[in-house]
Amino acid sequence: MDESCDLIVIGGGHAGCEAAHIAAKMAHNVLLLTGSIDALGRMSCNPAVGGLAKGQLVKEVDALGGIMGVLADKSGLQFRLLNRSKGPAVRSTRAQCDRKLYEDSMKSLLSSNPNIQIYEKYVVTLILERGAVIGVRCDDESVYMAKTTIITSGTFLNGLIHIGLQSFPAGRIGEKPALGLTEDLARYGIRSGRLKTGTPPRLDGTTIDFEKCFAQHGDQPPPFFSFRTRRDQDLSQLPCHLTYTNPQTHELIKRNLDQSPIFRGIIEGIGPRYCPSIEDKVVRFPDKLRHQLFVEPEGWRSDEIYINGFSSSLPAEIQFEALRTIAGLSDVKMNRPGYAIEYDYFPSSQIWPTMESKIIRNLFFAGQANGTSGYEEAAAQGIMAGINAALKVRDEEPFVLKRSEAYIGVLIDDLTTRNIDEPYRMFTSRAEYRLFLREDNAQERLSHYAFRYGLISEQEYEEVREYSRLTAQQISRCERIFVYPSQIEKVDAILNDKVNKLSLADALRIPTVDERDISKIDREFADCPDRVRLKVEVQIKYDGYVSRQQIEIARLSKFEKMRLDENLDYRKIKGLKREAIEKLSAFKPYTLGQASRIAGVTPGDVSVLMVYLKRLKSEAQTKKASTEESKNVPRGTF
């Protein structure tokens, strides 16, 4: 035995980095085992953070004390708020990042933490004792003992890269795969599967004619992710660009499909439906004359360009030829071809909502190991696995977020109640309470948890509460202060002298009126921080809808509070249908609410379970009352 600690984290991707950081923040000793210290937090695909629904995840990770938002703000090349013209429920922040600066910042942050030790090693086997993991053995025969272990293997487990009809083992381009661990886990009954993802070519930006592309500029002031980032700073930003494929591009790709490992059946793993390769798009959408491509920079000091939307596993020479048919890329040089990669994952029906394995105690899974795609989904799982592994070390109650509390709750609930057979990606449409789970209120929703577990300071928590008080104060003012319609141009045009006066709140309820219009006529409101003004607008404008969602959340909360015993034998519960017994036995839902969301479990089955749980509770209360009564009977009384 070389060393022992509280937690071992296997893998240094976004899930592993968040897990290690948050557990160390909870004052636990963490050993992070990864293939390369220089690759910590590496953005294997697009160097970007956030995007639709993913921005919400980053904000929530930040509210819980995580690091993705902080590093994205620090390394950002361009910041944009997507869906700005739509409702607040679907607005999401996105940052194009400097790839090298992001990973260098991650390395510096984790390496300087006295609670984190980082070694460049691959884990090949787990060490178990009485059904619980107690350590790991590495490829160099070194052994490390720990109270809990988190697997965040990314695309490295038996990773296989495909470029054309050539294939070779790798975890990422230029990095060797992790071998042996999948087979070791199989010995203990943990099922695995194969998934596939891909990445586009990297281009030499000095050979691109940007005049033939469409410029896309960032927002000013930049919409940062982290509440720790100063909001008053303007930032120079790099432009991104748009270009498009054309019929010539599509025809060239179609002629060479026989050299695609996807269409030759060489790739067995299932790829992400919502992020298909360019050859997939050409075949699946034959009537589409063009496909949008994003020409995105990789760094401040780099000329390399990421061509987003052109993921491909065609031979390098075909990729190069196809690129040169695209506007702005006729003279382009390709630094590196795109490729597809297959890797092992472990179907997430095998974990609890705490991220702990249902089969091996004290073993946690996070990130692509659970069948997800995306840095943000990985970070969200990583922070939850890190918190719960630390709580397990302390022998404290686990931390589980409900669907009604966070996108993180939606993500993990989906993973643990559905059969994931393709890479899972977060969308706003997956969150039924998305009007309540907005980016702008992530701190208010989650900071009390972060404070409870010591993940944010008292000063940071008080700042959140102060913003909440200020928001409530301004909402009250807007209800009390009345103005003439003529004072607000948009209001005057709509009401057309139909009312004499209206409150600022009523003005904000008009769809075309926003906080900027109120700022023009109310100095105190204008002097409030941006985030307060925006929150006041959203809460007033959508109060009715949010109130209805909160009523629905309260109505369904009783199901989320009814815990189901992990050892419950569903075959013994009379009234359950056969399919429900099979699904409930396989998924072992955490709560009655989770049980209700498993495919194959009907409302009738949920009613049977509810009656059963109520009967158990009644029997337990009767037994307790009987025990207490017997204690009060005087000795010698018959």
Side-chain angles (χ1 to χ4, degrees):
M1 185 184 75
D2 293 317
E3 223 168 296
S4 64
C5 57
D6 292 328
L7 290 93
I8 290 174
V9 177
I10 303 172
H14 299 280
C17 290
E18 290 289 352
H21 168 262
I22 210 70
K25 207 171 192 180
M26 295 173 74
H28 289 281
N29 295 319
V30 179
L31 175 60
L32 176 56
L33 300 172
T34 182
S36 171
I37 293 177
D38 290 332
L40 290 172
R42 176 161 292 172
M43 295 177 169
S44 310
C45 203
N46 191 5
V49 168
L52 300 180
K54 294 169 177 279
Q56 279 88 335
L57 287 173
V58 180
K59 294 267 189 176
E60 291 175 354
V61 167
D62 186 70
L64 289 171
I67 49 179
M68 175 170 274
V70 175
L71 299 187
D73 290 347
K74 181 177 181 179
S75 60
L77 303 170
Q78 186 194 92
F79 296 86
R80 294 175 62 218
L81 182 65
L82 307 184
N83 278 348
R84 189 181 287 274
S85 63
K86 299 183 179 180
V90 293
R91 293 173 191 160
S92 301
T93 304
R94 182 185 187 275
Q96 188 72 21
C97 298
D98 184 312
R99 182 191 302 276
K100 189 70 168 61
L101 179 56
Y102 188 96
E103 62 186 53
D104 285 349
S105 300
M106 182 70 81
K107 176 184 176 183
S108 174
L109 189 150
L110 296 184
S111 299
S112 62
N113 191 316
N115 289 337
I116 301 176
Q117 185 70 46
I118 308 171
Y119 293 155
E120 290 185 338
K121 300 192 180 191
Y122 286 87
V123 172
V124 292
T125 58
L126 301 182
I127 301 170
L128 268 63
E129 186 177 275
R130 293 192 291 273
V133 62
I134 60 169
V136 301
R137 180 174 284 104
C138 298
D139 53 352
D140 63 354
E141 295 301 320
S142 56
V143 170
Y144 301 97
M145 310 303 285
K147 297 169 185 173
T148 55
T149 296
I150 306 173
I151 294 177
T152 66
S153 48
T155 60
F156 279 74
L157 289 179
N158 292 321
L160 186 66
I161 281 180
H162 301 270
I163 303 176
L165 303 184
Q166 294 183 334
S167 303
F168 53 91
R172 263 190 303 243
I173 198 78
E175 297 181 57
K176 69 177 186 178
L179 306 175
L181 187 55
T182 300
E183 293 74 15
D184 184 62
L185 290 170
R187 294 194 300 126
Y188 305 110
I190 293 181
R191 292 177 289 109
S192 67
R194 294 287 277 178
L195 291 178
K196 165 251 173 187
T197 189
T199 189
R202 305 303 197 269
L203 311 180
D204 181 349
T206 64
T207 63
I208 295 174
D209 186 351
F210 290 102
E211 293 296 321
K212 294 182 179 178
C213 303
F214 302 92
Q216 195 174 51
H217 298 283
D219 295 343
Q220 287 290 4
F224 294 121
F225 283 108
S226 179
F227 71 92
R228 301 171 184 85
T229 303
R230 281 179 46 237
R231 302 285 169 185
D232 57 350
Q233 55 180 304
D234 277 339
L235 187 74
S236 59
Q237 301 185 53
L238 292 180
C240 295
H241 291 80
L242 295 175
T243 189
Y244 297 87
T245 62
N246 55 61
Q248 184 184 354
T249 318
H250 300 178
E251 184 56 36
L252 193 153
I253 290 171
K254 288 176 184 176
R255 287 200 312 267
N256 291 281
L257 287 176
D258 62 331
Q259 299 185 64
S260 166
I262 298 172
F263 291 94
R264 286 284 293 269
I266 296 171
I267 293 178
E268 299 175 357
I270 300 171
R273 185 191 316 178
Y274 304 103
C275 189
S277 66
I278 189 64
E279 49 265 42
D280 263 341
K281 286 191 267 192
V282 168
V283 171
R284 284 167 53 184
F285 308 104
D287 299 331
K288 205 161 185 180
L289 298 179
R290 66 179 192 174
H291 292 285
Q292 190 176 59
L293 304 175
F294 297 87
V295 184
E296 299 173 329
E298 295 235 346
W300 288 108
R301 298 185 177 132
S302 172
D303 291 322
E304 193 156 83
I305 293 294
Y306 180 94
I307 184 77
N308 192 352
F310 201 88
S311 176
S312 179
S313 57
L314 286 165
E317 60 272 18
I318 303 301
Q319 295 183 40
F320 179 61
E321 192 178 346
L323 286 166
R324 286 203 158 195
T325 66
I326 296 167
L329 307 183
S330 59
D331 296 315
V332 77
K333 290 182 179 178
M334 186 171 71
N335 293 347
R336 193 182 82 197
Y339 62 85
I341 182 167
E342 287 185 282
Y343 57 94
D344 293 340
Y345 83 107
F346 307 99
S348 53
S349 58
Q350 301 173 106
I351 61 169
W352 300 110
T354 61
M355 314 306 292
E356 186 178 8
S357 169
K358 294 176 180 177
I359 299 166
I360 300 176
R361 294 194 314 279
N362 301 342
L363 178 64
F364 295 75
F365 290 85
Q368 286 175 286
N370 285 329
T372 61
S373 68
Y375 313 141
E376 302 82 4
E377 289 88 344
Q381 295 171 73
I383 197 168
M384 295 301 289
I387 292 170
N388 277 307
L391 292 174
K392 193 74 185 284
V393 170
R394 300 177 180 183
D395 198 25
E396 294 181 12
E397 283 293 307
F399 175 41
V400 176
L401 285 167
K402 298 190 285 288
R403 296 182 71 92
S404 58
E405 290 182 300
Y407 269 77
I408 295 176
V410 175
L411 165 66
I412 296 175
D413 188 71
D414 281 352
L415 291 178
T416 53
T417 58
R418 299 183 182 186
N419 284 313
I420 304 298
D421 56 6
E422 62 177 339
Y424 177 100
R425 178 181 176 183
M426 178 54 71
F427 294 101
T428 53
S429 59
R430 295 191 191 275
E432 58 270 46
Y433 305 117
R434 55 187 169 275
L435 195 54
F436 179 64
L437 307 180
R438 307 183 307 273
E439 272 199 0
D440 65 85
N441 66 2
Q443 274 186 277
E444 284 77 3
R445 288 186 280 113
L446 301 177
S447 60
H448 63 287
Y449 290 124
F451 183 64
R452 176 196 299 178
Y453 296 120
L455 309 177
I456 61 174
S457 67
E458 186 172 356
Q459 180 181 344
E460 289 171 330
Y461 184 46
E462 185 53 40
E463 181 183 319
V464 177
R465 299 175 71 185
E466 180 56 32
Y467 274 117
S468 296
R469 286 192 289 267
L470 187 53
T471 301
Q473 176 187 327
Q474 288 302 315
I475 290 173
S476 178
R477 282 189 71 255
C478 287
E479 296 284 5
R480 297 194 318 268
I481 295 175
F482 286 77
V483 296
Y484 294 105
S486 58
Q487 291 178 259
I488 306 175
E489 184 179 337
K490 294 176 184 175
V491 173
D492 194 30
I494 292 171
L495 296 182
N496 201 18
D497 296 328
K498 291 179 181 177
V499 297
N500 290 327
K501 281 188 174 184
L502 78 167
S503 69
L504 294 178
D506 284 334
L508 274 172
R509 291 186 180 104
I510 297 171
T512 56
V513 176
D514 60 32
E515 51 87 16
R516 291 170 293 184
D517 299 303
I518 304 302
S519 296
K520 291 175 183 177
I521 63 169
D522 188 272
R523 173 52 56 191
E524 183 176 332
F525 186 79
D527 289 340
C528 289
D530 291 350
R531 60 188 288 189
V532 171
R533 296 199 310 272
L534 289 167
K535 197 165 296 172
V536 168
E537 177 193 340
V538 170
Q539 289 191 208
I540 289 177
K541 199 179 288 290
Y542 298 95
D543 179 61
Y545 300 103
V546 173
S547 295
R548 283 197 288 274
Q549 283 204 345
Q550 288 177 322
I551 291 170
E552 178 71 5
I553 290 169
R555 186 180 72 81
L556 296 174
S557 65
K558 62 180 180 180
F559 293 113
E560 305 302 335
K561 293 176 182 176
M562 299 179 78
R563 288 285 298 273
L564 293 167
D565 192 320
E566 62 182 82
N567 298 314
L568 188 58
D569 188 347
Y570 292 98
R571 295 170 301 176
K572 295 181 179 179
I573 301 177
K574 293 181 180 178
L576 286 178
K577 295 182 179 64
R578 181 177 297 175
E579 184 180 8
I581 292 172
E582 291 175 359
K583 293 295 180 67
L584 291 167
S585 299
F587 281 95
K588 297 182 179 179
Y590 202 64
T591 65
L592 186 60
Q594 272 209 325
S596 70
R597 292 186 289 275
I598 296 173
V601 177
T602 68
D605 296 317
V606 174
S607 296
V608 169
L609 282 173
M610 186 182 291
V611 170
Y612 176 80
L613 291 175
K614 286 182 176 178
R615 190 173 77 243
L616 285 183
K617 183 178 180 181
S618 177
E619 290 173 355
Q621 289 174 338
T622 301
K623 184 177 180 180
K624 181 180 178 182
S626 176
T627 302
E628 290 177 351
E629 184 178 341
S630 65
K631 288 180 181 178
N632 293 328
V633 175
R635 290 187 179 183
T637 303
F638 297 93

